[in-house]
Amino acid sequence: MNKYETLFILNTSLEEEAKKAIIEKFKGVIENGGGAIENVDEWGNRKLAYEIGKANEGYYTLINFTAAPELPKELDRVFRITDGVIRHIIVRNEK
């Protein structure tokens, strides 16, 4: 089991319920894949460093979790096919 963190940015045009549903979806992917969520930190709306697809702001969420090495590949796949996700990154913490 390795420690990971993922940061993803959602489109601010989504309704609050849709944002919560997408966050729960990603938490479910981690937990159903055998991972354990350590922390979920919702940063809220923030200004983007540069415009992405005509969007100047995004809703940031950081999730810290532990999982087997195969899980980040599946999580990345789900990020790519989910509408409303502007950007995402998954990083392995080596401490």
Side-chain angles (χ1 to χ4, degrees):
M1 298 290 268
N2 299 320
K3 290 186 178 250
Y4 296 94
E5 67 180 20
T6 182
L7 178 68
F8 55 94
I9 306 170
L10 300 176
N11 195 329
T12 56
S13 66
L14 295 171
E15 294 185 15
E16 196 64 33
E17 296 86 28
K19 290 176 189 173
K20 298 292 181 196
I22 291 173
I23 293 168
E24 289 300 318
K25 174 182 178 179
F26 296 140
K27 287 169 55 178
V29 169
I30 293 168
E31 291 170 342
N32 293 336
I37 295 175
E38 295 174 359
N39 184 31
V40 177
D41 191 10
E42 294 184 34
W43 296 355
N45 290 337
R46 301 233 173 167
K47 186 167 175 57
L48 299 173
Y50 54 90
E51 189 175 282
I52 302 173
K54 298 186 179 182
N56 292 322
E57 286 190 343
Y59 188 84
Y60 285 69
T61 305
L62 175 72
I63 300 177
N64 296 318
F65 63 98
T66 56
E70 303 82 35
L71 184 66
K73 293 175 188 170
E74 174 63 17
L75 187 59
D76 183 55
R77 184 188 73 78
V78 174
F79 276 130
R80 291 178 190 273
I81 63 173
T82 303
D83 291 335
V85 177
I86 298 174
R87 287 282 192 270
H88 70 279
I89 188 169
I90 304 168
V91 180
R92 180 177 169 201
N93 291 338
E94 296 186 28
K95 291 186 180 181

